[in-house]
Amino acid sequence: MIKHLFLSVAFFLYVANFAYADGNCTKSSAAIIKVFDQGIALNEKYKKSVASGDPTSYRQLRVQVEKLNEENVIPCVERAGEILSTLNEPKLVHKLLQLVVSYENSANETISYSLGLIFGANPQMLENALKRFTPSESKLIVERLEGGWLNAKSNFKKEVIKDREQRLQKLHF
């Protein structure tokens, strides 16, 4: 009896953990990009509802955005940070930066912090990706990067910090 109970609990924990991991983008960059696309689309719809002045639509979309962010987008931002700190994935970094632009209205510091970590580990990739954005979008991205770098730089050696500070100065428009 106890053995069956243990196996049942173990099975459900495994299934729940697998579902949680899959929903939070642990498998692939393509899954992360898909979540970012969903986040961007919903956030843009939310921003339009704010401008329209419809309080009912605004409230409903705000709840949806907050839920999607908490359950999917922010965990995917963290996972993208891990991936992009070690690998050059132009599509993923571009989509992450598109998310940064869309989420200009977000106060969540996880996005900035992840940019800071990526910049510390793989600055050239971010510098190259910035070239595909308009000057105003690039300015917004660099501002978010600066905030994230302030918090992330303690994870890096002095030589790296010095180099990244110089690189960051060159990114100002």
Side-chain angles (χ1 to χ4, degrees):
M1 172 82 169
I2 293 176
K3 181 179 177 182
H4 291 291
L5 179 62
F6 175 78
L7 290 175
S8 296
V9 169
F11 174 76
F12 285 114
L13 286 174
Y14 172 78
V15 170
N17 195 30
F18 180 80
Y20 178 80
D22 189 48
N24 287 315
C25 309
T26 60
K27 288 195 172 199
S28 70
S29 294
I32 295 170
I33 289 170
K34 188 174 181 179
V35 170
F36 286 174
D37 282 337
Q38 293 169 344
I40 291 167
L42 187 58
N43 192 55
E44 292 302 317
K45 190 174 178 182
Y46 166 71
K47 290 191 300 189
K48 287 179 184 171
S49 77
V50 172
S52 75
D54 178 6
T56 304
S57 175
Y58 161 80
R59 281 191 296 274
Q60 289 173 343
L61 287 168
R62 181 176 178 158
V63 169
Q64 290 175 13
V65 166
E66 288 174 357
K67 184 176 187 213
L68 182 65
N69 287 346
E70 183 179 311
E71 294 178 2
N72 297 96
V73 174
I74 296 306
C76 286
V77 166
E78 292 171 335
R79 179 65 180 132
E82 294 169 5
I83 293 169
L84 295 171
S85 290
T86 58
L87 300 172
N88 287 327
E89 293 201 24
K91 289 180 182 178
L92 180 58
V93 74
H94 183 73
K95 190 56 69 175
L96 175 62
L97 296 182
Q98 285 180 323
L99 183 83
V100 170
V101 170
S102 176
Y103 276 54
E104 66 184 327
N105 60 316
S106 173
N108 190 310
E109 293 184 15
T110 304
I111 298 170
S112 296
Y113 183 71
S114 292
L115 283 178
L117 290 174
I118 295 165
F119 186 66
N122 198 352
Q124 188 66 51
M125 183 185 50
L126 277 177
E127 292 165 345
N128 290 340
L130 272 169
K131 295 174 185 173
R132 295 181 59 193
F133 290 85
T134 67
S136 62
E137 291 170 333
S138 293
K139 183 180 181 204
L140 173 70
I141 294 166
V142 170
E143 287 172 359
R144 296 295 296 266
L145 171 57
E146 284 179 315
W149 175 244
L150 283 174
N151 292 317
K153 70 181 180 181
S154 64
N155 296 307
F156 298 94
K157 294 180 180 180
K158 288 181 183 180
E159 307 82 49
V160 172
I161 293 171
K162 184 178 178 183
D163 175 73
R164 299 317 183 264
E165 299 279 334
Q166 291 170 349
R167 286 173 177 255
L168 200 52
Q169 288 302 314
K170 291 177 185 175
L171 292 177
H172 285 280
F173 296 90

